[in-house]
Amino acid sequence: MILGIETSCDETAAAVLADGAKVLASVVASQDTIHAPYGGVVPELASRRHVEIIVPVIRKALGDAGVSLADLKAIAVTQGPGLVGSLLVGCSVAKSLAYVGRVPLIGVNHLEGHIFAAFLQDPSPAYPFLALVVSGGHTALYVAREPLRYEVIGQTRDDAAGEAFDKVAKLLGLGYPGGPVIEQTAKSGDPKAIPFPMAQITDGAPDFSFSGIKTAVSLHVKRNRPLSAGQVADIAASFQATAVKMLVRKTVRAALALGVRRIVLTGGVAANKALRAALQVEAAERGWEVFIPPPALCTDNAAMIAAAGHARFQAGERASLSMNAIPDMKLA
Ligand code: KG4
Ligand code: ZN
């Protein structure tokens, strides 16, 4: 039994996992209402809120699972990447609990956590696989040829995809977080209404870029103000369709180039139904396997951290009590 703790950004989360894949409890306390007035995460407010609720969140997870500190084989905590103030709260609490309970501690990379969300499902991916990790802070393709080893294949050169959803939502006055509200608004819009540009990476690298489409949306909004509800829906739908196309196209190309036939789609943006469906269609045409965690495990949670922690624990990894948050921690 492993306790997972996640506080890298604006969700305070704790989960208890049994045998590496059985989620006994998963508690996620969202801070959306705190950050919504600012249209994005305010780091200082995020860390303060983590401090206030991390202990109740952990208590609730242990209570839901019906276990106590003494039942835990290990404590896994997100060590990075993320906001330093936020990460420090989780790391401090995890270290304290590990010390008091004499339980081994494991530092987990948040991005590996997102990938391990796919291992909470049955079937889980075999190796090798290509993972598109697409969240508010990251957009990258990794190939995992063997367990616990990753190679970066491509990444965003500017904004993360989730960041683009959040910024476009802000431009359209739709609120925060942008992903879910863009998805909702797009339902009544025409995805072909506005031909937003697809980013071209001229050196041929399998990288992403989302700043161009964000600027295009911004210009389009300025030129057409005031926007009717129908125009807002069309912009949301057209933006979403273009972002999805860019993500899927690069992923398919990378998989073809690598000869990999298994794809993991994960991270907050992977909760998006249009993206899930588009990747599934492309993969089905080629006979590839696709692994997409359920939406609640795509966005930040601690079950995925416990899952990655379990794998690292099995591999013999332990963190010392002097471990520290690493805001720019790399996966590959
Ligand atoms: O993985 P996550 O919860 O946190 C980070 O590690 O960043 O991802 C949050 C991001 C936000 O940018 C949010 O707008 C986006 O994921 N997101 C979505 C959807 N749900 C969340 N983007 C598109 N469609 C969604 N349904
Ligand atoms: Zn995340």
Side-chain angles (χ1 to χ4, degrees), residues 11 110 114 135-137 162-163 165-166 177-180 183 267-269 271-272 298-300:
E11 329 280 348
H110 182 79
H114 274 304
S135 74
E163 205 177 342
F165 272 87
D166 293 337
E183 176 165 17
V269 182
N272 187 279
C298 284
T299 49
D300 286 351

Side-chain angles (χ1 to χ4, degrees), residues 106-165:
I106 300 152
V108 171
N109 184 303
H110 182 79
L111 303 171
E112 181 167 60
H114 274 304
I115 292 172
F116 265 84
F119 287 84
L120 292 170
Q121 280 176 303
D122 192 18
S124 60
Y127 293 85
F129 61 79
L130 178 69
L132 173 61
V133 181
V134 69
S135 74
H138 299 88
T139 295
L141 281 165
Y142 298 96
V143 67
R145 293 196 172 86
E146 56 183 295
L148 309 182
R149 288 181 70 91
Y150 310 90
E151 190 187 319
V152 195
I153 299 302
Q155 53 195 322
T156 184
R157 298 214 174 157
D158 38 61
D159 293 348
E163 205 177 342
F165 272 87

